[in-house]
Amino acid sequence: RSTLFPYTTLFRSASLTVKECNDRVGTTELRKIVSTLRARGFKIIDEWEEGFDRDGVQVRYKRYYLL
């Protein structure tokens, strides 16, 4: 089994944000994981989304999709 297997399984729902990654496996290093997966040939796209943080402040964040 590849050492990247745990990371690719994070994308079970086809998309992932840094917060979702932190909630699932306790890391905020999703950008680093995505970079590593891309370097290994995985097709991952991203798009910006908008939402609100817990204080009601509007924030922008990326959602990553494993193709």
Side-chain angles (χ1 to χ4, degrees), residues 2-12 14-16 21 29-45 64-67:
S2 166
T3 57
L4 295 176
F5 177 75
Y7 302 123
T8 57
T9 59
L10 286 173
F11 288 93
R12 281 189 301 265
S15 70
L16 195 61
C21 184
E29 295 196 12
L30 179 59
R31 289 176 289 270
K32 183 188 266 186
I33 293 166
V34 166
S35 179
T36 300
L37 291 172
R38 284 177 172 158
R40 300 277 178 99
F42 287 87
K43 287 278 216 183
I44 299 173
I45 60 170
Y64 296 92
Y65 296 88
L66 179 63
L67 301 178

Side-chain angles (χ1 to χ4, degrees), residues 19 22-23 51-61:
K19 182 181 180 329
N22 186 43
D23 291 347
F52 295 94
D53 67 10
R54 64 178 170 224
D55 297 321
V57 177
Q58 189 169 9
V59 294
R60 288 180 45 138
Y61 53 90

